[in-house]
Amino acid sequence: MTARASRGRRPGAPDTRAEVLAAARASFAEKGFRGTTIRAVAASAGVDPALVHHYFGTKDDLFVAALQIPVDPREVLAPVVAAGPDGAGERLLRTFLGVWDDPEVQPALVALVRSIMSDDTGALVRDAFIPVVIGPALASLVADRPEARVPLVVSQVVGLIVTRYVVAIPPMVAMPAEEVVARIGPVLQHYLTDDLP
Amino acid sequence: MTARASRGRRPGAPDTRAEVLAAARASFAEKGFRGTTIRAVAASAGVDPALVHHYFGTKDDLFVAALQIPVDPREVLAPVVAAGPDGAGERLLRTFLGVWDDPEVQPALVALVRSIMSDDTGALVRDAFIPVVIGPALASLVADRPEARVPLVVSQVVGLIVTRYVVAIPPMVAMPAEEVVARIGPVLQHYLTDDLP
DNA sequence: CGCACAATTCAACACATGATGAAAAACGTC
DNA sequence: GACGTTTTTCATCATGTGTTGAATTGTGCG
């Protein structure tokens, strides 16, 4: 019930901009792009809608601002790739969970995935992200025929993302990271290096 | 450029209702619930928006009408479950693909999944569908500790759904059903019956 | 203190959308 | 052929949304 009514600047030095950005991230993560309204973000930050426009311009701009996260997939994957194919499945999964379980970046990543799957931004993943970023990284880890193995790895990882972070089915959320690594890691390893039927 | 202008009933006996329903299914599958507008559905069916309301009432009603599909998961899963745990992974996957690759039901299923992941209908899957429908069916196929195994199976199957039908990444779409069965089936079997680490 | 500047709200516009009710045209039946 | 019924469009409304510009209040600097 923090009744905020008066016009003009607030006393003190509150970082209102950061609050708005956090509210936007949370809303984009939970409701997706279309489901998020500027008014709702403003209300959740205890602020007038016009202020959102003042800081971040249009709604699209707000969205890309909310997706700004300090994680470059190629950089994160580099050490995993450098260590070679032995035990790559578990290493891959461990670093992956290290990023996704970080509460600092999780909302932005979930928002990104939600938008990819609800709106037709799917093309971005389909045509650019996987072939350009993920594909080459995994390609040096697979035994052979990467065009057949990479999609399998991706499918299991995507399933993990959706069940653990997007839909958040309870047993998957409750599972400790190391347990996920121990149970799914071998499957990734299997997709990467075992003989294909 | 089929200029349709005149008022009143059309000559002939066109099944306009079915066309509207098909357009709605396609739009819900591609753009999700929020992304679908009554006007767009009407335009895609070459019809006035009011007609959509005339046949199916509100937008929610149209959505549930679009989701009406002649497939009961328990009924489909019954024979798979009845045959016991031996080779259950591949059988499960085969019948699963039989349903999802059917172009008659695919749009409705994709629409359902899209809505589950974009809007917060996720609760439906999280709290009802998996525990009540999928859980008990799989429970009789697993070796032990179903609460640990079922989520693993679900994660791989969800990953398959998303990559093959929702985001539709090309290598996954192009893969023949039997190849999917041969490559992912053993992994499901592993989750169902192999020793858990 | 005075003043430029930043932060914040208010009021309003333009637009798209879901929904409604009445009117017009074809059909089926007697 | 007359008539009730179904199918279809038109015109319209209320609402929520993104966006804009002006007005107001606090902060920091000279």
Side-chain angles (χ1 to χ4, degrees):
Chain A
M1 303 308 161
T2 51
R4 172 97 215 108
S6 75
R7 199 127 128 172
R9 189 170 187 159
R10 300 181 187 175
D15 196 354
T16 317
R17 194 193 138 100
E19 282 178 37
V20 171
L21 190 57
R25 279 215 182 91
S27 180
F28 282 133
E30 196 184 347
K31 321 236 187 207
F33 181 80
R34 285 219 173 83
T36 292
T37 91
I38 299 264
R39 284 170 157 86
V41 169
S44 158
V47 149
D48 188 273
L51 191 63
V52 179
H53 277 93
H54 173 67
Y55 280 131
F56 321 87
T58 164
K59 188 183 176 184
D60 290 346
D61 296 341
L62 176 62
F63 187 61
V64 316
L67 291 190
Q68 292 297 349
I69 45 169
V71 49
D72 177 1
R74 283 165 303 190
E75 187 180 325
V76 172
L77 285 177
V80 179
V81 173
D86 259 27
E90 304 205 350
R91 254 182 299 121
L92 193 63
L93 211 43
R94 207 181 327 264
T95 65
F96 178 86
L97 289 172
V99 173
W100 275 81
D101 282 342
D102 179 354
E104 207 63 35
V105 297
Q106 194 182 96
L109 292 176
V110 173
L112 180 61
V113 169
R114 268 239 162 75
S115 94
I116 282 167
M117 296 207 279
S118 39
D119 313 328
D120 39 5
T121 327
L124 193 139
V125 173
R126 193 173 44 236
D127 304 337
F129 189 64
I130 291 184
V132 175
V133 179
I134 304 294
L138 293 187
S140 58
L141 291 177
V142 305
D144 59 346
R145 304 184 55 203
E147 80 287 352
R149 296 178 181 274
V150 170
L152 295 172
V153 173
V154 169
S155 84
Q156 175 61 86
V157 172
V158 166
L160 177 61
I161 292 178
V162 171
T163 53
R164 188 173 170 97
Y165 305 105
V166 179
V167 176
I169 74 176
M172 219 37 167
V173 177
M175 211 178 285
E178 269 311 312
E179 205 168 305
V180 176
V181 170
R183 300 213 169 128
I184 300 189
V187 167
L188 296 189
Q189 188 68 45
H190 168 245
Y191 284 149
L192 286 172
T193 53
D194 285 2
D195 282 346
L196 284 177
Chain B
M1 301 306 160
T2 53
R4 171 95 215 109
S6 75
R7 200 127 126 172
R9 190 172 186 159
R10 300 180 186 176
D15 195 354
T16 318
R17 194 192 137 101
E19 283 178 36
V20 170
L21 190 56
R25 279 215 182 91
S27 180
F28 282 133
E30 196 184 348
K31 320 235 188 206
F33 181 80
R34 284 218 173 86
T36 293
T37 90
I38 298 262
R39 284 170 156 86
V41 169
S44 159
V47 150
D48 189 273
L51 191 63
V52 180
H53 277 98
H54 173 68
Y55 279 131
F56 320 86
T58 165
K59 187 182 176 184
D60 290 345
D61 296 342
L62 176 62
F63 187 61
V64 317
L67 292 190
Q68 292 296 347
I69 43 167
V71 48
D72 177 2
R74 283 165 302 190
E75 186 181 325
V76 173
L77 284 177
V80 179
V81 172
D86 259 27
E90 305 204 348
R91 253 181 300 121
L92 194 62
L93 210 42
R94 207 180 330 261
T95 65
F96 178 86
L97 288 173
V99 172
W100 275 82
D101 282 342
D102 179 355
E104 207 62 34
V105 297
Q106 195 182 95
L109 292 176
V110 173
L112 180 62
V113 170
R114 269 238 163 75
S115 95
I116 282 166
M117 296 206 281
S118 41
D119 312 329
D120 40 6
T121 327
L124 192 139
V125 172
R126 194 172 41 236
D127 304 337
F129 189 65
I130 292 184
V132 175
V133 179
I134 303 295
L138 293 187
S140 58
L141 291 177
V142 304
D144 58 345
R145 306 184 54 201
E147 80 288 351
R149 296 176 182 275
V150 170
L152 295 172
V153 173
V154 169
S155 84
Q156 175 61 88
V157 172
V158 166
L160 177 61
I161 291 177
V162 171
T163 53
R164 187 174 170 97
Y165 304 105
V166 179
V167 176
I169 73 177
M172 219 39 166
V173 177
M175 210 178 285
E178 270 311 312
E179 205 169 303
V180 175
V181 170
R183 299 212 170 128
I184 300 189
V187 167
L188 295 189
Q189 189 68 45
H190 167 245
Y191 285 149
L192 286 172
T193 53
D194 286 0
D195 281 348
L196 284 176

